[in-house]
Amino acid sequence: MANNFVFNDVLPVAPLKIAALESCKDLATKVNDHIVQFRQNDARELIRRKQDLNYRGYDVDSYLLKCRCSRFGTGEAKGVLMESVRGSDLYAMVDVTNYSLSYSVCGYSNHMSPDDHFQDLKRIIGASVATAHRVSVIMPFLYESRQHKRTNRESLDCAMGLQELIAMGVKNIITFDAHDPRVQNAIPLSGFDNFMPTYQFVKALFAHDKNLKIDKNHLMVVSPDEGAMPRAVYLANNLGVDMGMFYKRRDYSKVINGRNPIVAHEFLGSSVEGKTVLIIDDMISSGESMLDTARALKERKAEKVAICCTFGLFTNGLEKFDDFYHRGYIDYVITTNLNYRPQALLDREWYLEADMSKYIAAIINALNHNVAISSTLEPTWKIQKLVAQYMADGYEYFQTIS
C-alpha cells in the first residue's frame, strides 16, 4: 500500500497545511490522519531505498492549521489564523451544507446557511492568501451549484461565487459530483477539478451485499432523470450491465413551490423484474423524486432497489424514507460522508456510508507534490479491478482491504 503514495524524486511544492472550517472538521480530521499515514509509510519506504528525506516536510504529526471564525454580538465575523502559513501550500475545506452550526445575533440564535459558510471560507482565504505559497479550496458540495445556468431572469450564483474565489487569489477549486460541471466555464483559466465517488459506491455496495451477482440478468443501473444519465452510463459500463432511465412528465401549466409539478415518472429501458437495481444521482434533497423512482421500480417487480447518491441532504427529514423502507420500496441508501449527516441518519438501518476521506487525502497528497491526478479523476481501472476481484473471491476479499 505504501508504494502507491511514494513520490520518489518529487518534492512537495511547499509545506502542506489544511485549513478545516468548523463545518468540515470531522472529515478533515480523517483526511489528515490518512495523509500522516501515507507520509509515514513514504518515509519508511524512501529510507529503505536510501533516498534523501531532507526538505520533504514529512516529519509532522498533523497538517491541520489552527484557525477559526469568531463572531461579534452583532453577528459580524472575522477569520483568524493562530499560526503562520507563510510559504505553505494551503487547502481550505468547507461544507456549505452543514446546518448544524449556529451563531448568535443580538441574542437570537441563527443556523448557518450556505451563504454563511461561504463567507467564512472567504474570511480564512483573506487571512492567508497574502503569505501562503498557494491556496486551494476543497468544497465537496459546490456552493449554489443547483443554480448553474440561467433559464429566466435569474442570478448565476455559482458562477459568481467561483469568480469571487479566483479574484481573491485561489489557485485550485476541488469539488465532487458537481450538479453540472460545465459551470467551470465561468473560470476557464483557473484550476477546477470535479471528482466522482463511483469507486467508493461500488466498494460500499460490494461490502454490504455478499450475494450480489454482477451480470445483465441480475443487476441494472437506473438514472432517475436525464440529468443523471452520464453517471449511470459510466457505472453501468464498468459493471458490464444494462441501464435504464426515468424521465419526469411535468404539468407546465402550473407552478408549485417555484417549479412545475411532476405528473408521472416514465421509464425507458429493459425489464427490471427479478433484478437488483441501483439508482444513481448526485444528491438527495427532499427525496421525493428518488422515492417515486424506487416505488416505480418495485412496482415493476425489481427484487432489490439500492439508492446511491453523493450528497444525502434529506431536507424534508427521514420519516418518508423510513416508511418506504418498511413498505419494501427501498432496500438501502448509500451516500458519502462529504456533507454533514445528523446522527439520526447514521443510526438508520437502511443507511450505508461511502467513506471519501482516503480519496481526498490522496488528491491533496498528489497536488501537494504537483504530480498528475488523471488516474484519480477517472478511477476506471480501480473499479474494474474491484469488480473482477469480487467476482473471483467474493465478500471475503473486502475483509482484507482498507
Side-chain angles (χ1 to χ4, degrees), residues 9-293:
D9 301 314
V10 182
L11 293 173
V13 296
L16 175 63
K17 293 284 186 181
I18 300 174
L21 277 77
E22 190 64 30
S23 61
C24 213
K25 275 282 172 63
D26 292 342
L27 178 60
T29 299
K30 295 180 72 174
V31 169
N32 173 71
D33 292 343
H34 282 302
I35 296 178
V36 170
Q37 183 180 6
F38 291 167
R39 295 193 171 188
Q40 288 174 348
N41 292 341
D42 291 354
R44 287 193 289 268
E45 182 69 15
L46 292 167
I47 290 172
R48 185 184 69 80
R49 299 179 189 181
K50 299 181 179 180
Q51 294 190 20
D52 188 5
L53 287 175
N54 290 337
Y55 310 114
R56 283 190 179 266
Y58 285 3
D59 56 345
V60 299
D61 296 327
S62 175
Y63 297 96
L64 293 173
L65 175 71
K66 295 178 181 178
C67 62
R68 70 171 185 267
C69 287
S70 54
R71 289 186 179 268
F72 303 99
T74 58
E76 298 168 286
K78 62 179 178 180
V80 181
L81 308 183
M82 277 80 84
E83 58 184 281
S84 173
V85 294
R86 187 173 298 278
S88 298
D89 187 18
L90 181 66
Y91 293 81
M93 294 183 63
V94 62
D95 174 15
V96 298
T97 68
N98 191 338
Y99 58 87
S100 70
L101 303 178
S102 61
Y103 61 95
S104 179
V105 181
C106 300
Y108 297 96
S109 182
N110 276 8
H111 282 271
M112 291 186 69
S113 71
D115 292 343
D116 294 319
H117 290 301
F118 189 68
Q119 287 299 116
D120 278 358
L121 171 65
K122 292 194 295 181
R123 291 179 177 111
I124 294 299
I125 294 170
S128 60
V129 73
T131 55
H133 174 76
R134 182 175 68 181
V135 175
S136 300
V137 168
I138 299 178
M139 190 186 301
F141 186 93
L142 189 61
Y143 174 69
E144 293 288 1
S145 58
R146 299 181 74 175
Q147 186 54 35
H148 60 279
K149 63 181 178 180
R150 178 176 285 150
T151 57
N152 209 326
R153 291 185 289 274
E154 302 170 328
S155 59
L156 290 173
D157 296 62
C158 186
M160 290 190 295
L162 293 176
Q163 290 179 349
E164 196 170 0
L165 293 179
I166 297 304
M168 293 185 70
V170 172
K171 297 299 182 184
N172 300 297
I173 296 173
I174 299 157
T175 191
F176 290 82
D177 203 353
H179 195 61
D180 190 334
R182 288 175 295 183
V183 74
Q184 67 186 285
N185 292 339
I187 50 170
L189 301 181
S190 302
F192 183 98
D193 290 309
N194 179 48
F195 295 92
M196 302 298 290
T198 315
Y199 171 73
Q200 285 73 21
F201 280 153
V202 174
K203 190 173 177 180
L205 177 68
F206 288 175
H208 174 75
D209 198 330
K210 305 176 184 180
N211 301 307
L212 192 64
K213 296 181 180 179
I214 309 170
D215 59 53
K216 294 182 178 180
N217 296 323
H218 298 91
L219 184 65
M220 188 172 183
V221 180
V222 166
S223 169
D225 54 39
E226 59 276 15
M229 279 286 288
R231 301 176 183 89
V233 169
Y234 180 74
L235 178 57
N237 285 344
N238 274 285
L239 296 177
V241 299
D242 291 332
M243 68 148 293
M245 184 196 81
F246 281 87
Y247 70 91
K248 299 169 185 175
R249 186 152 53 85
R250 296 180 180 271
D251 183 356
Y252 288 100
S253 66
K254 300 177 183 177
V255 176
I256 300 176
N257 295 328
R259 61 182 182 177
N260 304 110
I262 298 171
V263 177
H265 289 80
E266 305 290 354
F267 182 65
L268 301 175
S270 58
S271 173
V272 300
E273 184 174 353
K275 297 179 181 178
T276 296
V277 181
L278 309 179
I279 308 174
I280 187 164
D281 206 353
D282 61 332
M283 72 176 76
I284 296 172
S285 185
S286 67
E288 291 179 5
S289 178
M290 195 66 67
L291 291 174
D292 287 344
T293 300

